[in-house]
Amino acid sequence: SDNLIRDGEDSGVLVSESGKGRIESNLIRGNMRAGVAILQSGQPHVLHNTIVAGKDSGVLVCECGEGVIEHNAIGQNRIAGIAVCSGAGPHLLHNRIGKGEGRALCIADGCHPLVEGNTLEAAANLSNVSLPHHMRALIAQKNRLVDHVHTAEELPRSLTDHSSLSGGPIGSAVGVAPAGTARGTPTATSYLSRAGLGLLKVGSRRPTA
């Protein structure tokens, strides 16, 4: 917690291969890929972060990723505020999700997220979300849809002083994978082997390219 995670050449934080962990009260900004990427059944708790100005989605949950994403301020990212795809089922609760160049919220067919209590900006009449048809009425009922759009500078920040974790040219600033991980699928391995800081549980080895 309490980190500035910025300007990485990959994701700011990666959780994959059933990895868990708590990602709390960080400023995650300006990374080349997702601010937080949850892949391959990752199950983190992501809360009270400000995730802004990324060159991809703010949060990407894919490949059956799960976890709880709550009370975050997300906006001004290039692709989507939060993108859910490939069978993922996260709980998205009480976030402020703003648009950037893309949509505030994108959910692909075949996913099963719980989406409640969020504020979706620039989304009146669901104009700034991409959803399966059967989810549209429930999303409108369980979340707050507003017209206002915050800039990255206006979004609330829970921290005034951050330690800096900059990915630099080597990739993700933080990577989390489960115990026993030596090699994963090409996707997870390529992400984590480029991490500036690999957080692996006891007994695991850092993946090799």
Side-chain angles (χ1 to χ4, degrees):
S1 64
D2 296 4
N3 296 293
L4 169 59
I5 302 172
R6 63 176 179 84
D7 301 325
E9 291 297 320
D10 212 291
S11 297
V13 179
L14 167 69
V15 184
S16 71
E17 300 175 55
S18 301
K20 300 183 194 246
R22 188 178 182 96
I23 302 160
E24 181 175 5
S25 298
N26 303 288
L27 174 57
I28 301 171
R29 182 184 185 100
N31 296 285
M32 288 297 294
R33 299 184 77 170
V36 176
I38 303 169
L39 309 177
Q40 297 183 336
S41 302
Q43 303 171 50
H45 191 183
V46 182
L47 72 161
H48 295 300
N49 300 283
T50 299
I51 305 170
V52 294
K55 299 173 178 62
D56 203 289
S57 295
V59 177
L60 171 67
V61 191
C62 200
E63 299 171 355
C64 299
E66 296 183 344
V68 178
I69 301 163
E70 61 178 337
H71 296 289
N72 300 284
I74 303 167
Q76 297 299 314
N77 296 286
R78 186 166 294 173
I79 304 300
I82 297 180
V84 181
C85 61
S86 300
H91 290 193
L92 311 178
L93 308 172
H94 307 293
N95 301 285
R96 175 172 285 277
I97 309 170
K99 73 184 294 290
E101 296 179 26
R103 298 179 185 270
L105 178 64
C106 295
I107 299 174
D109 286 324
C111 297
H112 50 280
L114 175 66
V115 186
E116 293 186 0
N118 301 283
T119 298
L120 304 176
E121 295 188 349
N125 302 314
L126 295 177
S127 59
N128 187 36
V129 296
S130 177
L131 304 170
H133 182 75
H134 71 276
M135 294 184 65
R136 294 180 69 84
L138 185 62
I139 295 292
Q141 177 184 354
K142 297 287 188 178
N143 299 272
R144 181 169 174 254
L145 311 180
V146 300
D147 285 327
H148 180 71
V149 178
H150 285 85
T151 66
E153 288 68 28
E154 292 172 331
L155 283 165
R157 294 182 183 178
S158 56
L159 306 174
T160 57
D161 184 26
H162 303 265
S163 301
S164 179
L165 270 179
S166 179
I170 57 176
S172 300
V174 180
V176 181
T181 298
R183 291 179 180 269
T185 67
T187 300
T189 300
S190 62
Y191 264 92
L192 193 53
S193 64
R194 293 196 299 271
L197 172 63
L199 303 180
L200 307 182
K201 294 182 181 178
V202 174
S204 63
R205 291 186 292 136
R206 187 185 179 96
T208 55

